[in-house]
Amino acid sequence: MSVDASTPPPVLETRGLTKTFRGFTAVDGVDLRVQEGHIHALIGPNGAGKTTVFNLLTKFLPPTRGEILYRGKPITSLKSNQIARLGLVRSFQISAVFAHMTALENVRVALQRRLGTSFHFWKSEKSLEPLNERAMALLDEVGLAAYADTLTVEMPYGRKRALEVATTLALDPFMMLLDEPTQGMGAEDVDRIVELIKRVSKGRTVLMVEHNLSVVSRLCDRITVLARGAVLAEGDYPSVSSNPLVREAYMGSAEVETIGKRASA
């Protein structure tokens, strides 16, 4: 991949990132560059290797070959918890919200890391009170202030996903990795999450896996398309969506019609 000398160094970069499973190559020499302040999408048909790339970036899987750099420093050998502490946070890592705790309590648990009590669930309620103000501010940021005292199990699905974003923000991410943030949502919830991502991305960098191409077209500065584990195309939405190779890769999917319509709009 050629890089303009005037282009600032990327926040996140992979060089020849590869993952094989017993002879099957799931990720094949992926070179990825995510610029600071961008919302960057990783898209592709089912089985393209998108989630595997996420798992490699956050070290849920070790790469077979290749290098990962974050803010100019190699992180290939680090563990997932070490990467999170550097400010590279995947929503999946802390998105398993506690169903029978309130929204406020869920965010407070995520904030406990600041007190060094992340796993001290026996701490008294009073010891956690200093976290309430910040927890409420995070809930307000994602539009959930009215749900502070609601048990998570009683919240609509779209609101639960917003709560997951709040718990991600509690870890003070410099860069957020969002895996399918609108999956399984109706149109109203999708619109709400799109606006939420726009808000919380201010001052941050976002890399997201997303199937909904309407969401990608509305949010993303740059798009990388994967097919069969390799980079097929990269660019902004108009250039990617009009690329014949991309349209061919999506052939057989209902979304190919979306690609064509948006490219010609």
Side-chain angles (χ1 to χ4, degrees), residues 190-227:
V190 167
D191 289 342
R192 185 179 293 116
I193 291 297
V194 166
E195 292 306 312
L196 172 58
I197 292 172
K198 285 180 181 178
R199 288 201 308 274
V200 302
S201 66
K202 288 180 172 34
R204 298 184 177 92
T205 304
V206 175
L207 176 64
M208 59 190 292
V209 167
E210 181 56 61
H211 272 104
N212 188 325
L213 297 182
S214 173
V215 170
V216 171
S217 69
R218 291 156 64 188
L219 277 177
C220 297
D221 302 289
R222 196 160 184 85
I223 300 162
T224 298
V225 185
L226 294 183

Side-chain angles (χ1 to χ4, degrees), residues 98 101 105-131 171:
F98 297 98
M101 293 174 66
E105 289 167 341
N106 268 282
V107 177
R108 217 166 50 182
V109 166
L111 286 168
Q112 278 186 256
R113 190 190 68 163
R114 293 182 177 183
L115 298 184
T117 59
S118 299
F119 303 106
H120 295 183
F121 294 103
W122 58 87
K123 287 285 184 178
S124 69
E125 180 80 11
K126 187 175 182 180
S127 73
L128 301 179
E129 285 179 0
L131 301 177
L171 297 183

Side-chain angles (χ1 to χ4, degrees), residues 87-101:
L88 179 61
V89 180
R90 179 183 179 179
S91 58
F92 175 76
Q93 288 179 268
I94 45 81
S95 66
V97 291
F98 297 98
H100 296 286
M101 293 174 66

